[in-house]
Amino acid sequence: MKTTAVRLYGKDDLRLERFELPPIREDEILAKVVSDSICMSSYKAAKQGASHKRVPDDVAQNPVIIGHEFCGELIEVGAKWQGKFKAGEKFTIQPALNQPGNVHAAPGYSFAYIGGSATYVIIPAVVMELDCLLPYSGEAFYHGSLAEPMSCIVGGFHVNYHTKAGSYRHEMGIIQGGKMALLAGAGPMGLGAIDYAIHAERKPALLVVTDIDDDRLAVAARIYPPEEAAKNGVTLIYAKNPDTAKLMELSGGEGYNDVYVYAPVAPLVEQADAILGYDGCLNFFAGPTDPAFSAKFNFYSVHYNATHVAGNSGGNTDDLIESLEMMAAGKLDPSVMITHVGGMDAAIQTTLDLPNIPGGKKLIYNHISMPLTAIADFAQLGRTDPLMAELAKLTAQSGGLWNAACEQYLLANAKPIGG
């Protein structure tokens, strides 16, 4: 079986190549990848090459397939797994394998034959052995792709912790009915966090979302209006670049139980620290590219006010399952995170330029050829392009959002990759 894939060879060295996959072994599975959403973590791997903790030192000689937010269909199941998986089933993958003895190895960073930016992949035995191959029954493949970034958000809510005076036990999770702030929280991951904070079983009573961008805040407020949050028992406030005094005022002067930082900016981290209340937990969610990134933290408050700091790079398998279940129940809709769509031939430039492309998640369909295109541009492009015209009609039916009908139409009508 031949595959077309984006392979990483080193710093800023991504190549779209077609090559032969070996026959699968009895403990492996051959799969077709339909969709892959591009993550900032892939950008960091592309910029750092072998210096990245998940990328092998010999990547120049043995390239890896990038991409880890993918969904597809099983094609051929090795004998060992035929009692558990069947050809034709849809799947998604938890890439954070946390493999004993090799905790950093992950699809999309570390393997020659599996990654999201490929038409076909071989799923190695370790993925199944660690229960990281997950059946997916949703209608749209892109929901399965976005379950991975959504699981990172879910993990962020679970990894926070709090304490009780006189006890050494950490109470995991956000404070039920507490006060929460999402700083730089109107980007794609922030939108997912707003969605989860409003609709999860455990939720804050107050949610303050900040950003420096008027347009991003306006989009967030349109998708998740305060009235919708109020129906779920959450007071939601959007604020443009508020100073620390204003944030403290919004908290009633008490500070916040849970504060999330969604951009790797030192002043933002320091503001998060300054607005923590007693026993507050700061979650540094935004992974920096610079390994020397640092910011000041008030250790007086650590000692006397029991403040904490946490962070998470990815979610675990339970977080991914929770994301899939909430999507299936209609409680989460990752469509709000997507602003651009493209084909496999757009994956390299999109990955390398990711920080400079405005908007939210960039969704790639691996079996088609298509420039990365903003959903907002569909209507204008549709004046001369029938494909874009139809996509504009279909997105208009869901308030300008990507949807399952768009995916089905694109897969049926777009130019095939290499065709």
Side-chain angles (χ1 to χ4, degrees):
M1 169 77 71
K2 285 189 178 294
T3 187
T4 300
V6 175
R7 295 203 283 186
L8 174 67
Y9 283 80
K11 294 181 179 179
D12 293 312
D13 190 355
L14 295 175
R15 307 177 196 177
L16 181 61
E17 300 177 321
R18 185 166 174 78
F19 57 94
E20 191 78 30
L21 292 173
I24 65 166
R25 299 183 301 197
E26 63 90 26
D27 61 352
E28 296 176 331
I29 295 176
L30 177 69
K32 175 183 179 180
V33 181
V34 176
S35 63
D36 180 49
S37 55
I38 297 181
C39 177
M40 274 297 293
S41 296
S42 293
Y43 164 79
K44 294 166 193 170
K47 300 304 288 186
Q48 295 175 359
S51 299
H52 192 282
K53 66 180 181 179
R54 293 189 184 277
V55 175
D57 293 337
D58 65 347
V59 68
Q61 294 76 40
N62 297 290
V64 297
I65 301 175
I66 66 163
H68 58 276
E69 299 178 356
F70 57 104
C71 183
E73 181 181 337
L74 303 182
I75 301 298
E76 181 183 352
V77 179
K80 180 176 179 179
W81 304 109
Q82 288 178 4
K84 188 172 184 180
F85 301 102
K86 295 179 180 178
E89 290 181 329
K90 292 179 182 177
F91 76 93
T92 188
I93 278 183
Q94 167 54 268
L97 301 179
N98 294 316
Q99 182 180 358
N102 193 11
V103 296
H104 295 313
Y109 304 92
S110 317
F111 292 90
Y113 299 129
I114 183 173
S117 194
T119 51
Y120 295 91
V121 298
I122 294 175
I123 306 174
V126 64
V127 174
M128 284 72 79
E129 289 166 355
L130 295 175
D131 292 324
C132 289
L133 177 62
L134 302 177
Y136 169 66
S137 59
E139 178 184 11
F141 286 98
Y142 77 90
H143 276 207
S145 284
L146 291 173
E148 195 283 331
M150 196 68 226
S151 77
C152 300
I153 294 167
V154 172
F157 278 62
H158 291 167
V159 79
N160 270 25
Y161 67 96
H162 299 274
T163 59
K164 292 181 180 179
S167 170
Y168 297 115
R169 180 179 177 182
H170 288 178
E171 301 288 340
M172 303 305 298
I174 68 166
I175 293 292
Q176 170 75 29
K179 299 175 181 180
M180 176 184 292
L182 306 180
L183 307 189
M189 298 301 276
L191 290 176
I194 297 168
D195 194 3
Y196 186 75
I198 293 171
H199 298 113
E201 184 175 345
R202 179 184 289 195
K203 56 178 69 72
L206 172 68
L207 176 61
V208 178
V209 180
T210 79
D211 208 280
I212 61 173
D213 190 300
D214 281 320
D215 291 339
R216 297 208 312 180
L217 283 169
V219 168
R222 175 176 61 82
I223 296 172
Y224 303 114
E227 295 79 10
E228 165 68 15
K231 292 177 184 177
N232 291 277
V234 179
T235 298
L236 174 57
I237 299 172
Y238 293 103
K240 182 185 178 183
N241 201 23
D243 59 21
T244 298
K246 179 61 176 179
L247 285 169
M248 289 300 293
E249 178 187 332
L250 292 173
S251 75
E254 298 178 352
Y256 297 81
N257 306 106
D258 297 281
V259 180
Y260 291 81
V261 178
Y262 277 87
V265 179
L268 205 62
V269 176
E270 291 164 9
Q271 183 180 62
D273 176 28
I275 64 173
L276 288 171
Y278 183 83
D279 190 40
C281 188
L282 186 162
N283 185 299
F284 182 58
F285 188 88
T289 304
D290 180 5
F293 177 85
S294 61
K296 293 180 180 178
F297 196 78
N298 188 326
F299 280 89
Y300 180 93
S301 293
V302 171
H303 187 86
Y304 288 106
N305 293 323
T307 60
H308 325 293
V309 64
N312 62 297
S313 178
N316 63 24
T317 303
D318 288 341
D319 299 326
L320 186 54
I321 292 171
E322 181 179 349
S323 300
L324 291 168
E325 289 177 346
M326 289 186 70
M327 288 179 195
K331 295 180 179 180
L332 292 177
D333 184 2
S335 303
V336 300
M337 302 167 73
I338 301 169
T339 58
H340 294 69
V341 180
M344 172 77 88
D345 45 359
I348 290 178
Q349 201 61 40
T350 301
T351 301
L352 294 176
D353 289 348
L354 197 56
N356 303 315
I357 305 174
K361 295 291 287 184
K362 283 68 185 177
L363 178 65
I364 299 295
Y365 286 100
N366 294 350
H367 290 261
I368 70 165
S369 171
M370 176 179 161
L372 187 73
T373 307
I375 294 173
D377 293 340
F378 284 172
Q380 181 178 354
L381 294 170
R383 295 173 183 173
T384 56
D385 186 337
L387 179 74
M388 292 294 151
E390 184 62 24
L391 290 176
K393 291 179 184 178
L394 293 171
T395 53
Q397 294 171 7
S398 58
L401 300 179
W402 192 250
N403 56 61
C406 291
E407 177 179 278
Q408 292 166 7
Y409 181 82
L410 185 68
L411 293 176
N413 293 280
K415 178 183 175 182
I417 187 71

